Amino acid sequence: MAVSGFEGFEKRLELHFSGDDPVIGNMGLRLLDFESLEKVLHAVQCTVVSAVGNQYFDSYVLSESSLFVYPTKIIIKTCGTTQLLKSIRPLIHHACTLGLMICSCRYTRGNFIFPKAQPYPHTSFKEEIIFLENNLPNNLYYRKASVLPSKLSTHSWHVFSACDESHILMQNMPDELYTIEVCMTELDRVLAGKFFRRPNDGKNGDSAGKEMSEITGIGDINPNALICDFAFDPCGYSMNGIAGDRYSTIHVTPEDGFSYASFECVGSIYDDPDNIVEVLKKAVQVFRPGTISVSTTCTGHKVWKCVAKAIEPLGMKFRSCTMDEFPATESVVFQTFTSRRK
């Protein structure tokens, strides 16, 4: 294991807002000017490398992962040694100028490969919780922090969730959307090798990224999605896929010794469950990892049962499953798998 390599494991923040003005409600947070977003990202220590949008939301590929901006929701996911939680205060401030108030917050992450390299406030989950507690407004008073363990010492799932009264009152109207976050380590060396650029290939990040999407099969995971991809120099890859009001995203750190890839997507509980099984299968086969952890966030639906159905037939052995409930009726299910070839 390298003393310290690039930290693939992302930190992820999802913020929801509400407001009274329907005109702003249609565009909402999408009205934030690019300069304001850039300042927020500067505080986090990353930049935008590529962007695409549609009628529902805007998607940004970052130097360290991804940002998605919906009218009343922001999802920001960053890897490396970024200081993601420093985005909370400025985002709440910018939303406020548009007449939007924060009504819920969810922060999630796996186990860092290089925890000692993380800067404040990400030095420990305890520090992160203190920072969150101090930077969220008092109206978000339903709060819970939890670590979901697994049978693998290297994999656990950290969750902090907070929401206001309105989110609790909406319990009778469960959200139909679910989020699946897949973290993969010990990638197949040959497959990981496809995410290295040839020296002096004469390409820019966009065209090299497009080529990687094609040769790795990433472009086939969801053929209906518009893909915004980027290849880093000398190695590494990021992509955001957008299809209607849904996103998917992949990030790859291919270096041997600390190789990592993540796949995240959203779906609806009304979708055909076979679809998510197929999507997960395709995503995992791009990397053939030694270890996989999958976190499913959903309001009381059994989507997580599709996960093993997708992953076990790929030569993976189911290792553990833990579950916890959070404010706003969300349940988080955390599952781990290891390769049978181990």
Side-chain angles (χ1 to χ4, degrees):
M1 173 64 76
V3 180
S4 187
F6 186 79
E7 181 59 68
F9 274 92
E10 298 97 351
K11 316 162 182 94
R12 181 188 186 278
L13 186 65
E14 180 169 330
L15 304 174
H16 289 246
F17 298 84
S18 60
D20 302 325
D21 185 344
V23 183
I24 280 189
N26 291 338
M27 282 299 281
L29 299 161
R30 298 181 70 185
L31 295 172
L32 283 181
D33 58 283
F34 187 63
E35 202 179 327
S36 299
L37 281 179
E38 277 190 313
K39 277 188 180 155
V40 173
L41 295 171
H42 181 74
V44 172
Q45 299 194 327
C46 59
T47 55
V48 171
V49 295
S50 195
V52 68
N54 64 11
Q55 72 200 80
Y56 301 102
F57 68 105
D58 299 309
S59 136
Y60 301 88
V61 174
L62 307 178
S63 53
E64 270 89 0
S65 306
S66 294
L67 165 69
F68 301 99
V69 182
Y70 287 80
T72 59
K73 173 173 75 177
I74 280 187
I75 296 156
I76 176 167
K77 185 169 178 167
T78 64
C79 55
T81 53
T82 48
Q83 295 165 288
L84 175 63
L85 294 179
K86 290 193 174 174
S87 66
I88 292 178
R89 275 214 154 142
L91 286 173
I92 291 173
H93 166 75
H94 289 310
C96 205
T97 63
L98 298 169
L100 292 165
M101 287 277 292
I102 186 165
C103 55
S104 84
C105 161
R106 185 168 80 246
Y107 173 67
T108 53
R109 69 167 174 85
N111 268 16
F112 296 126
I113 302 173
F114 307 109
K116 289 192 167 65
Q118 287 297 317
Y120 173 83
H122 299 285
T123 38
S124 69
F125 190 45
K126 191 178 167 187
E127 279 291 349
E128 290 172 320
I129 295 167
I130 293 168
F131 189 90
L132 281 154
E133 294 275 10
N134 291 338
N135 284 278
L136 290 171
N138 296 337
N139 64 310
L140 267 55
Y141 54 80
Y142 296 94
R143 300 180 179 189
K144 179 173 173 177
S146 176
V147 180
L148 282 70
S150 79
K151 284 187 179 164
L152 313 173
S153 59
T154 48
H155 286 255
S156 59
W157 195 246
H158 305 71
V159 184
F160 175 92
S161 179
C163 69
D164 69 3
E165 192 99 55
S166 71
H167 251 65
I168 296 291
L169 295 172
M170 280 163 59
Q171 286 190 353
N172 302 329
M173 304 187 300
D175 188 359
E176 64 167 86
L177 291 183
Y178 61 80
T179 307
I180 293 184
E181 297 170 70
V182 183
C183 301
M184 298 170 270
T185 53
E186 301 145 80
L187 312 182
D188 177 279
R189 281 185 179 184
V190 174
L191 297 176
K194 295 179 180 181
F195 296 96
F196 282 81
R197 287 175 62 172
R198 290 183 300 281
N200 309 315
D201 60 8
K203 292 185 167 72
N204 62 18
D206 296 302
S207 59
K210 194 170 163 34
E211 186 183 18
M212 282 182 191
S213 299
E214 284 167 12
I215 63 169
T216 57
I218 285 173
D220 304 326
I221 294 173
N222 178 0
N224 304 323
L226 169 65
I227 287 181
C228 182
D229 38 23
F230 194 87
F232 296 91
D233 199 8
C235 65
Y237 167 92
S238 285
M239 92 65 161
N240 291 342
I242 70 175
D245 60 353
R246 302 189 196 170
Y247 70 87
S248 59
T249 181
I250 289 178
H251 302 285
V252 189
T253 301
E255 293 100 318
D256 206 30
F258 49 94
S259 65
Y260 171 87
S262 66
F263 171 71
E264 177 181 331
C265 66
V266 281
S268 160
I269 57 176
Y270 304 116
D271 294 346
D272 179 348
D274 289 345
N275 288 359
I276 188 61
V277 170
E278 276 311 297
V279 163
L280 284 173
K281 269 197 169 122
K282 287 179 186 171
V284 170
Q285 281 173 305
V286 169
F287 305 103
R288 300 222 181 124
T291 305
I292 302 177
S293 70
V294 185
S295 159
T296 310
T297 304
C298 189
T299 44
H301 187 73
K302 302 289 185 280
V303 168
W304 60 273
K305 290 186 172 171
C306 297
V307 172
K309 204 168 141 186
I311 292 174
E312 283 187 301
L314 306 176
M316 303 297 291
K317 184 174 162 50
F318 171 78
R319 293 297 297 273
S320 63
C321 177
T322 41
M323 182 188 270
D324 205 348
E325 298 284 335
F326 291 87
T329 72
E330 290 169 347
S331 63
V332 176
V333 181
F334 181 62
Q335 296 165 277
T336 58
F337 303 83
T338 53
S339 166
R340 291 188 185 278
R341 65 171 187 260
K342 280 191 152 183

Coordinates of all heavy atoms in Angstrom, one line a residue, residues 136-195:
L136 N -25.2 24.1 10.4 CA -26.5 24.0 9.9 C -27.5 24.8 10.8 O -27.3 24.9 12.0 CB -27.0 22.5 10.0 CG -26.3 21.6 8.9 CD1 -26.7 20.1 9.2 CD2 -26.7 22.0 7.5
P137 N -28.5 25.5 10.2 CA -29.4 26.3 10.9 C -30.2 25.5 11.9 O -30.4 24.3 11.7 CB -30.2 27.0 9.9 CG -30.1 26.1 8.7 CD -28.8 25.5 8.7
N138 N -30.8 26.2 12.9 CA -31.5 25.5 14.0 C -32.8 24.9 13.5 O -33.3 24.0 14.2 CB -31.8 26.5 15.1 CG -30.5 27.0 15.8 OD1 -29.5 26.3 15.7 ND2 -30.6 28.2 16.4
N139 N -33.3 25.3 12.4 CA -34.6 24.7 12.0 C -34.4 23.2 11.6 O -35.4 22.5 11.5 CB -35.3 25.5 10.8 CG -34.4 25.5 9.5 OD1 -33.2 25.8 9.6 ND2 -35.0 25.2 8.4
L140 N -33.2 22.8 11.3 CA -32.9 21.4 11.0 C -32.7 20.7 12.3 O -31.6 20.3 12.6 CB -31.7 21.3 10.0 CG -32.0 21.2 8.5 CD1 -32.8 22.5 8.1 CD2 -30.7 21.1 7.7
Y141 N -33.7 20.5 13.1 CA -33.5 20.0 14.4 C -33.7 18.5 14.6 O -33.4 17.9 15.6 CB -34.1 20.8 15.6 CG -35.6 21.0 15.4 CD1 -36.5 19.9 15.8 CD2 -36.1 22.2 15.0 CE1 -37.9 20.1 15.7 CE2 -37.5 22.4 14.9 CZ -38.4 21.3 15.2 OH -39.7 21.5 15.1
Y142 N -34.2 17.8 13.6 CA -34.2 16.3 13.6 C -32.9 15.9 13.0 O -32.6 16.0 11.8 CB -35.3 15.8 12.8 CG -36.7 16.2 13.3 CD1 -37.4 17.3 12.8 CD2 -37.3 15.4 14.3 CE1 -38.6 17.7 13.3 CE2 -38.6 15.8 14.8 CZ -39.2 16.9 14.3 OH -40.4 17.3 14.8
R143 N -32.0 15.4 13.9 CA -30.6 15.1 13.4 C -30.2 13.7 13.9 O -30.5 13.3 15.0 CB -29.6 16.1 13.9 CG -29.9 17.5 13.4 CD -28.9 18.6 13.9 NE -29.3 19.9 13.4 CZ -28.5 21.0 13.6 NH1 -27.3 20.9 14.2 NH2 -28.9 22.1 13.1
K144 N -29.4 13.0 13.0 CA -28.9 11.7 13.4 C -27.6 11.5 12.7 O -27.5 11.7 11.5 CB -29.9 10.6 13.1 CG -29.4 9.2 13.5 CD -30.4 8.2 13.4 CE -29.9 6.8 13.6 NZ -30.9 5.8 13.5
A145 N -26.6 10.9 13.4 CA -25.3 10.5 12.8 C -25.1 9.0 13.1 O -25.5 8.6 14.2 CB -24.2 11.3 13.3
S146 N -24.6 8.3 12.2 CA -24.4 6.8 12.4 C -23.3 6.3 11.5 O -23.1 6.8 10.4 CB -25.8 6.2 12.1 OG -25.7 4.8 12.2
V147 N -22.7 5.3 12.0 CA -21.7 4.6 11.1 C -22.2 3.1 10.9 O -22.5 2.4 11.9 CB -20.3 4.5 11.7 CG1 -19.3 3.7 10.8 CG2 -19.8 5.9 12.0
L148 N -22.5 2.8 9.7 CA -23.0 1.4 9.4 C -21.7 0.5 9.1 O -21.0 0.8 8.2 CB -23.9 1.4 8.1 CG -25.3 1.9 8.3 CD1 -25.4 3.4 8.6 CD2 -26.2 1.5 7.2
P149 N -21.5 -0.5 10.0 CA -20.3 -1.3 9.8 C -20.5 -2.4 8.8 O -21.6 -2.6 8.3 CB -20.2 -1.9 11.2 CG -21.6 -2.0 11.7 CD -22.4 -0.9 11.1
S150 N -19.4 -3.1 8.5 CA -19.5 -4.3 7.6 C -18.5 -5.3 8.2 O -17.8 -5.0 9.2 CB -19.1 -4.0 6.2 OG -17.7 -3.9 6.0
K151 N -18.5 -6.5 7.6 CA -17.6 -7.5 8.0 C -16.1 -7.2 7.5 O -15.2 -7.9 7.9 CB -18.0 -8.9 7.6 CG -19.2 -9.4 8.4 CD -19.5 -10.8 8.0 CE -20.7 -11.3 8.9 NZ -21.3 -12.5 8.3
L152 N -16.0 -6.2 6.7 CA -14.7 -5.9 6.2 C -14.2 -4.6 6.9 O -14.9 -3.6 6.9 CB -14.8 -5.5 4.7 CG -15.6 -6.5 3.8 CD1 -15.7 -6.0 2.4 CD2 -14.9 -7.9 3.8
S153 N -13.1 -4.7 7.6 CA -12.6 -3.6 8.4 C -12.3 -2.4 7.5 O -12.3 -1.3 8.0 CB -11.3 -4.0 9.1 OG -10.3 -4.4 8.1
T154 N -12.1 -2.6 6.2 CA -11.8 -1.4 5.4 C -13.0 -0.7 4.8 O -12.9 0.3 4.2 CB -11.0 -1.9 4.1 OG1 -11.6 -3.1 3.6 CG2 -9.5 -2.3 4.5
H155 N -14.2 -1.3 5.1 CA -15.4 -0.7 4.5 C -16.5 -0.4 5.6 O -16.9 -1.4 6.2 CB -16.0 -1.6 3.4 CG -15.2 -1.5 2.1 ND1 -15.7 -0.8 1.0 CD2 -14.1 -2.1 1.8 CE1 -14.8 -1.0 0.1 NE2 -13.8 -1.7 0.5
S156 N -16.8 0.8 5.8 CA -18.0 1.1 6.6 C -18.6 2.4 6.0 O -18.0 3.0 5.2 CB -17.7 1.3 8.1 OG -16.7 2.4 8.2
W157 N -19.8 2.7 6.4 CA -20.5 3.8 5.7 C -21.0 4.8 6.8 O -21.6 4.5 7.7 CB -21.8 3.2 5.0 CG -22.4 4.2 4.0 CD1 -23.6 4.8 4.1 CD2 -21.7 4.7 2.8 NE1 -23.8 5.6 2.9 CE2 -22.7 5.5 2.2 CE3 -20.5 4.4 2.2 CZ2 -22.4 6.2 1.0 CZ3 -20.2 5.1 1.0 CH2 -21.2 5.9 0.4
H158 N -20.6 6.1 6.6 CA -20.8 7.1 7.5 C -22.0 8.0 7.0 O -22.0 8.4 5.9 CB -19.6 8.0 7.7 CG -18.4 7.3 8.1 ND1 -17.7 6.4 7.2 CD2 -17.7 7.3 9.2 CE1 -16.7 5.9 7.8 NE2 -16.6 6.4 9.1
V159 N -23.0 8.2 7.9 CA -24.2 9.0 7.4 C -24.5 10.0 8.5 O -24.6 9.7 9.7 CB -25.4 8.1 7.3 CG1 -26.6 8.9 6.7 CG2 -25.1 6.9 6.3
F160 N -24.7 11.3 8.1 CA -25.3 12.3 8.9 C -26.5 12.9 8.2 O -26.4 13.2 7.0 CB -24.3 13.4 9.2 CG -24.9 14.6 9.9 CD1 -24.7 14.6 11.3 CD2 -25.5 15.6 9.3 CE1 -25.3 15.7 12.1 CE2 -26.1 16.7 10.0 CZ -26.0 16.7 11.4
S161 N -27.6 12.9 8.9 CA -28.9 13.3 8.2 C -29.6 14.3 9.2 O -29.6 14.2 10.4 CB -29.8 12.1 8.0 OG -31.0 12.5 7.4
A162 N -30.1 15.4 8.6 CA -30.8 16.4 9.4 C -31.9 17.0 8.5 O -31.8 17.1 7.3 CB -29.8 17.6 9.7
C163 N -33.1 17.2 9.2 CA -34.2 17.8 8.4 C -35.0 18.7 9.4 O -34.9 18.6 10.6 CB -35.0 16.8 7.7 SG -35.9 15.7 8.8
D164 N -35.9 19.4 8.7 CA -36.8 20.3 9.5 C -38.2 19.6 9.7 O -38.4 18.5 9.2 CB -36.9 21.7 8.9 CG -37.6 21.7 7.6 OD1 -38.1 20.6 7.1 OD2 -37.7 22.8 7.0
E165 N -39.1 20.3 10.3 CA -40.4 19.8 10.6 C -41.2 19.4 9.3 O -41.8 18.4 9.2 CB -41.2 20.9 11.3 CG -42.6 20.5 11.9 CD -42.4 20.2 13.3 OE1 -42.0 21.1 14.1 OE2 -42.8 19.1 13.7
S166 N -41.0 20.3 8.2 CA -41.8 20.0 7.0 C -41.4 18.6 6.4 O -42.3 17.9 5.9 CB -41.5 21.1 6.0 OG -40.2 21.0 5.5
H167 N -40.1 18.2 6.6 CA -39.7 16.9 6.1 C -40.3 15.8 6.9 O -40.7 14.8 6.3 CB -38.2 16.8 6.1 CG -37.6 16.9 4.7 ND1 -37.7 18.0 3.9 CD2 -37.0 15.9 4.0 CE1 -37.1 17.7 2.7 NE2 -36.7 16.5 2.7
I168 N -40.5 16.0 8.2 CA -41.1 15.0 9.0 C -42.6 14.9 8.7 O -43.1 13.8 8.7 CB -40.9 15.4 10.5 CG1 -39.4 15.3 10.9 CG2 -41.7 14.5 11.5 CD1 -38.7 14.0 10.9
L169 N -43.2 16.0 8.5 CA -44.7 16.0 8.2 C -44.9 15.4 6.8 O -46.1 14.9 6.6 CB -45.2 17.5 8.1 CG -45.2 18.2 9.5 CD1 -45.5 19.7 9.3 CD2 -46.1 17.5 10.5
M170 N -43.9 15.3 5.9 CA -44.1 14.7 4.6 C -44.0 13.2 4.7 O -43.9 12.5 3.7 CB -43.1 15.2 3.6 CG -43.5 16.6 3.1 SD -42.1 17.4 2.3 CE -41.7 16.3 1.0
Q171 N -43.9 12.6 5.9 CA -43.7 11.2 6.0 C -44.7 10.3 5.3 O -44.5 9.2 4.9 CB -43.6 10.8 7.5 CG -42.3 11.2 8.1 CD -42.1 10.6 9.5 OE1 -43.0 10.0 10.1 NE2 -40.9 10.8 10.1
N172 N -45.9 10.9 5.2 CA -47.0 10.1 4.6 C -46.9 10.1 3.1 O -47.6 9.4 2.4 CB -48.4 10.7 5.0 CG -48.6 10.6 6.5 OD1 -48.0 9.7 7.2 ND2 -49.3 11.6 7.0
M173 N -46.0 11.0 2.6 CA -45.8 11.0 1.1 C -44.3 10.6 0.8 O -43.5 11.5 0.6 CB -46.1 12.4 0.6 CG -47.4 13.0 0.9 SD -47.7 14.5 0.1 CE -46.4 15.6 0.7
P174 N -44.0 9.4 0.9 CA -42.6 9.0 0.8 C -42.1 9.4 -0.6 O -42.8 9.4 -1.6 CB -42.6 7.5 1.0 CG -44.0 7.0 0.8 CD -44.9 8.2 1.1
D175 N -40.8 9.7 -0.6 CA -40.1 10.1 -1.9 C -40.0 8.8 -2.8 O -39.6 7.8 -2.3 CB -38.7 10.6 -1.5 CG -38.0 11.2 -2.7 OD1 -38.6 11.2 -3.9 OD2 -36.9 11.7 -2.6
E176 N -40.4 9.0 -4.0 CA -40.3 7.8 -4.9 C -38.9 7.5 -5.4 O -38.6 6.4 -5.9 CB -41.2 8.0 -6.1 CG -40.8 9.1 -7.0 CD -41.5 9.1 -8.3 OE1 -42.6 9.7 -8.4 OE2 -40.9 8.5 -9.3
L177 N -38.0 8.5 -5.2 CA -36.6 8.3 -5.7 C -35.7 7.6 -4.7 O -35.9 7.8 -3.5 CB -36.0 9.7 -6.1 CG -36.6 10.4 -7.3 CD1 -35.8 11.7 -7.5 CD2 -36.6 9.5 -8.5
Y178 N -34.8 6.8 -5.2 CA -33.8 6.2 -4.3 C -32.4 6.5 -4.9 O -32.3 6.8 -6.1 CB -34.0 4.7 -4.2 CG -33.9 3.9 -5.5 CD1 -32.7 3.6 -6.1 CD2 -35.1 3.5 -6.2 CE1 -32.6 2.9 -7.3 CE2 -35.0 2.8 -7.4 CZ -33.8 2.5 -7.9 OH -33.7 1.8 -9.1
T179 N -31.4 6.4 -4.1 CA -30.0 6.7 -4.6 C -29.2 5.4 -4.3 O -29.3 4.9 -3.2 CB -29.4 7.9 -3.8 OG1 -30.3 9.0 -3.9 CG2 -28.1 8.2 -4.4
I180 N -28.4 5.0 -5.2 CA -27.5 3.9 -5.0 C -26.1 4.4 -5.2 O -25.8 5.0 -6.2 CB -27.8 2.7 -6.0 CG1 -29.2 2.1 -5.6 CG2 -26.7 1.6 -5.9 CD1 -29.5 0.9 -6.5
E181 N -25.2 4.2 -4.2 CA -23.8 4.6 -4.3 C -23.0 3.3 -4.2 O -23.0 2.6 -3.2 CB -23.5 5.5 -3.1 CG -24.3 6.8 -3.2 CD -24.1 7.6 -1.9 OE1 -23.0 8.2 -1.7 OE2 -25.1 7.8 -1.1
V182 N -22.2 3.1 -5.2 CA -21.3 1.9 -5.3 C -19.9 2.3 -5.2 O -19.4 3.2 -6.0 CB -21.6 1.1 -6.6 CG1 -20.7 -0.2 -6.7 CG2 -23.0 0.8 -6.9
C183 N -19.1 1.7 -4.3 CA -17.7 2.0 -4.1 C -16.9 0.7 -4.4 O -17.2 -0.3 -3.8 CB -17.4 2.4 -2.7 SG -18.3 3.9 -2.2
M184 N -16.0 0.8 -5.4 CA -15.2 -0.4 -5.8 C -13.7 -0.2 -5.6 O -13.2 0.8 -6.0 CB -15.5 -0.7 -7.2 CG -17.0 -1.0 -7.5 SD -17.4 -1.1 -9.3 CE -17.9 0.6 -9.6
T185 N -13.1 -1.2 -4.9 CA -11.6 -1.1 -4.7 C -11.0 -2.4 -5.4 O -11.7 -3.3 -5.7 CB -11.3 -1.0 -3.2 OG1 -11.9 -2.1 -2.5 CG2 -11.7 0.3 -2.6
E186 N -9.6 -2.3 -5.4 CA -8.8 -3.4 -6.1 C -9.4 -3.8 -7.4 O -9.8 -4.9 -7.7 CB -8.9 -4.7 -5.2 CG -8.3 -4.5 -3.8 CD -9.1 -5.3 -2.8 OE1 -8.8 -6.5 -2.7 OE2 -10.0 -4.7 -2.1
L187 N -9.4 -2.8 -8.3 CA -9.9 -3.0 -9.7 C -9.0 -3.9 -10.5 O -7.8 -4.0 -10.2 CB -10.0 -1.6 -10.4 CG -10.6 -0.4 -9.7 CD1 -10.6 0.8 -10.6 CD2 -12.0 -0.8 -9.2
D188 N -9.7 -4.7 -11.4 CA -8.9 -5.5 -12.3 C -7.8 -4.7 -13.0 O -8.1 -3.6 -13.6 CB -9.9 -6.1 -13.3 CG -9.2 -7.0 -14.4 OD1 -8.6 -6.4 -15.3 OD2 -9.2 -8.2 -14.2
R189 N -6.6 -5.1 -12.9 CA -5.5 -4.3 -13.5 C -5.6 -4.0 -14.9 O -5.3 -2.8 -15.3 CB -4.1 -5.0 -13.2 CG -3.6 -4.9 -11.8 CD -2.3 -5.5 -11.7 NE -1.8 -5.3 -10.3 CZ -0.6 -5.7 -9.9 NH1 0.2 -6.2 -10.7 NH2 -0.2 -5.5 -8.6
V190 N -6.0 -4.9 -15.7 CA -6.1 -4.7 -17.2 C -7.2 -3.7 -17.4 O -7.0 -2.7 -18.2 CB -6.4 -6.0 -17.9 CG1 -6.7 -5.7 -19.4 CG2 -5.2 -7.0 -17.8
L191 N -8.3 -3.8 -16.8 CA -9.4 -2.9 -17.0 C -9.1 -1.5 -16.4 O -9.4 -0.5 -17.1 CB -10.7 -3.4 -16.3 CG -11.2 -4.8 -16.9 CD1 -12.4 -5.3 -16.1 CD2 -11.6 -4.6 -18.3
A192 N -8.4 -1.4 -15.3 CA -8.0 -0.1 -14.7 C -7.0 0.6 -15.7 O -7.0 1.8 -15.8 CB -7.4 -0.3 -13.4
G193 N -6.2 -0.3 -16.4 CA -5.2 0.3 -17.3 C -5.8 1.1 -18.5 O -5.2 2.0 -19.0
K194 N -7.1 0.9 -18.7 CA -7.8 1.7 -19.8 C -8.1 3.1 -19.4 O -8.5 3.9 -20.2 CB -9.1 1.0 -20.2 CG -9.0 -0.4 -20.8 CD -10.3 -1.0 -21.1 CE -10.2 -2.4 -21.7 NZ -11.5 -3.0 -22.0
F195 N -7.8 3.4 -18.1 CA -8.1 4.8 -17.6 C -6.8 5.6 -17.5 O -6.7 6.6 -16.8 CB -8.9 4.7 -16.3 CG -10.2 4.2 -16.5 CD1 -10.5 2.8 -16.2 CD2 -11.3 5.0 -17.0 CE1 -11.8 2.3 -16.4 CE2 -12.5 4.4 -17.2 CZ -12.8 3.1 -16.9

